Amino acid sequence: MLERVPDAPTHALALNASGTVMASDVEAAIEAAVGQSDAATGLVIVIDPDFDGYLAELARGLASSGLAHKNLVKLAVVCDAGLLDEAKLSGFDVSAVPIRLFASADRWAALEWAAAARRGE
């Protein structure tokens, strides 16, 4: 399931991933949130400890959304330190828009980094 992160900065799109998440779920959530907007947007996916989906599915959904929405200029994934190595092997490096990985301890830094897209940073 993907739900908006309630405490995200105003200019960042942040989604919390929990349970099972498929590529089509990612694509649908981003489409619903971004729609027809042309404004530069930063997106952060925060992976909950109860996430039981496949990181490769998440990467595939982000990659296809990056192609479909040219306004997605910054993509980040926040996960536990133990998942960082798996994330690096899951295809996050093949997106049209580079996807930056952040450890859970750096969650707020990821949100601020994504919010900077709207400010042109």
Side-chain angles (χ1 to χ4, degrees):
M1 173 181 358
L2 290 165
E3 297 176 311
R4 293 212 73 167
V5 173
D7 64 342
T10 304
H11 296 297
L13 171 58
L15 300 172
N16 192 58
S18 62
T20 301
V21 177
M22 303 302 288
S24 59
D25 299 328
V26 175
E27 295 161 4
I30 292 172
E31 178 63 34
V34 175
Q36 299 300 317
S37 174
D38 290 330
T41 302
L43 167 70
V44 178
I45 302 286
V46 178
I47 299 178
D48 252 10
D50 71 343
F51 175 77
D52 64 0
Y54 299 103
L55 288 175
E57 279 288 316
L58 190 63
R60 191 170 60 122
L62 288 173
S64 61
S65 293
L67 290 172
H69 299 282
K70 300 299 181 195
N71 58 327
L72 287 176
V73 297
K74 289 186 171 191
L75 300 176
V77 173
V78 177
C79 60
D80 287 336
L83 283 178
L84 283 174
D85 287 336
E86 181 182 343
K88 290 174 186 174
L89 299 173
S90 294
F92 287 110
D93 58 343
V94 297
S95 175
V97 177
I99 300 171
R100 188 168 166 188
L101 300 173
F102 289 84
S104 294
D106 298 323
R107 177 180 176 272
W108 191 251
L111 293 167
E112 285 297 320
W113 177 79
R118 186 69 57 93
R119 298 189 301 262
E121 298 173 20

